[in-house]
Amino acid sequence: MIKRLPGLLLLVCGLAFGQPPAPAFEVATIKPSHEGEGHSSWHSRPGYLVMKNLSFKVLTGVAYSLPADRVLGGPKWTESDRFDIEARAIGPAGDPELLRMLQSLLADRFHLAIHRETKTAAGYALVLAKDALKIRPDEGEGGSSSNGSRGKWIAKRVSMDKLATFLNRTLGMPVVNSTDLQGAFTFTLEWAPEPTRSVESPDKLLPDAPTGPSLFTALQTTLGLKLESRKVPIEVLVIDKAEKPAEN
């Protein structure tokens, strides 16, 4: 008599119907962050992903390579609550696979369900400036990382898509990558952020108003890139379901 193995049967059925199991982390922890708004970051190296002080909508945007303002719907906590994630893969997975694992993690721990839509909106296209590109692809090994504060962004081995996502988040406007540049780039971008205004008198700038080039100017002088105003097609994700995970 032959004994049937349920797990093996499910695996065979999944392969037969062309549905291999989704990639998943070997170990992953998710904890609420209590730092509040301000400094946040995420970085990776082969097989390892660390995310600090990010809202659920930002986490979802990172997982699907979209800025958070293109993640729509969901309960209020998806914007207000922040989380720390530390996750390790079973092998030396690169960024594309790590992000697919992050998608699986959000579906598993947050019960995330989404659907996609396409819209047209006023925004910017990231393109090459007339003068030469001032950065070169980083041919070194390792994962990508970025770290930002007000008026400064340090990028290590990031793609042009990730730069467009950062610009989208910083400017609050859709930005699409139209550079056709492949590879990963390492650079530091510094600019004068929008000055802080007095709470009592919104028309009055505080005395520590920053000086220096605008973000638009810094892009061109530092990177050899520019932003052009355009109507751009944008993909958005709509959250159909999301639940807070148990802390682990």
Side-chain angles (χ1 to χ4, degrees):
M1 179 176 180
I2 299 176
K3 200 181 242 186
R4 293 183 179 273
L5 301 177
L8 179 60
L9 180 60
L10 288 174
L11 177 60
V12 171
C13 288
L15 293 176
F17 286 96
Q19 296 178 348
F25 291 111
E26 181 183 27
V27 178
T29 60
I30 300 174
K31 296 180 180 179
S33 173
H34 303 292
E35 292 187 30
E37 292 188 19
H39 184 76
S40 60
S41 65
W42 75 272
H43 69 271
S44 67
R45 63 176 186 261
Y48 189 63
L49 179 65
V50 176
M51 315 183 85
K52 295 290 187 182
N53 197 34
L54 298 177
S55 72
F56 180 73
K57 284 197 172 180
V58 172
L59 292 173
T60 303
V62 170
Y64 290 90
S65 300
L66 289 175
D69 62 0
R70 294 193 214 170
V71 181
L72 310 180
K76 289 183 178 180
W77 65 263
T78 59
E79 294 183 5
S80 60
D81 290 19
R82 293 170 176 268
F83 301 90
D84 295 336
I85 293 179
E86 186 172 353
R88 185 175 70 246
I90 199 168
D95 279 356
E97 191 174 3
L98 288 174
L99 294 186
R100 289 194 294 272
M101 292 179 184
L102 180 59
Q103 294 174 17
S104 299
L105 182 66
L106 298 181
D108 179 44
R109 302 283 185 89
F110 291 87
H111 300 149
L112 174 64
I114 60 167
H115 71 272
R116 300 172 184 265
E117 296 180 3
T118 300
K119 298 183 177 183
T120 301
Y124 297 102
L126 179 66
V127 299
L128 293 171
K130 288 184 179 179
D131 48 353
L133 182 68
K134 299 183 179 181
I135 52 176
R136 294 290 178 266
D138 185 337
E139 303 293 346
E141 297 183 355
S144 68
S145 66
S146 63
N147 204 318
S149 57
R150 193 166 179 261
K152 186 173 183 178
W153 196 53
I154 301 172
K156 294 182 180 180
R157 294 186 49 75
V158 303
S159 66
M160 287 294 107
D161 284 339
K162 189 169 181 180
L163 172 58
T165 298
F166 162 75
L167 294 171
N168 188 139
R169 185 170 64 249
T170 302
L171 296 171
M173 293 280 286
V175 178
V176 296
N177 172 26
S178 299
T179 64
D180 293 326
L181 293 173
Q182 304 299 314
F185 299 82
T186 295
F187 56 85
T188 297
L189 189 62
E190 295 186 80
W191 70 98
E194 287 295 318
T196 305
R197 297 183 180 275
S198 168
V199 176
E200 293 80 10
S201 304
D203 293 333
K204 181 181 178 181
L205 300 181
L206 294 181
D208 63 343
T211 59
S214 69
L215 179 55
F216 291 82
T217 299
L219 278 171
Q220 191 157 343
T221 58
T222 304
L223 308 183
L225 302 170
K226 67 177 183 177
L227 293 171
E228 291 184 348
S229 296
R230 292 184 189 175
K231 287 283 187 179
V232 295
I234 59 171
E235 181 185 58
V236 299
L237 295 180
V238 181
I239 296 176
D240 299 314
K241 179 183 178 183
E243 300 175 1
K244 289 186 182 182
E247 184 175 350
N248 54 19

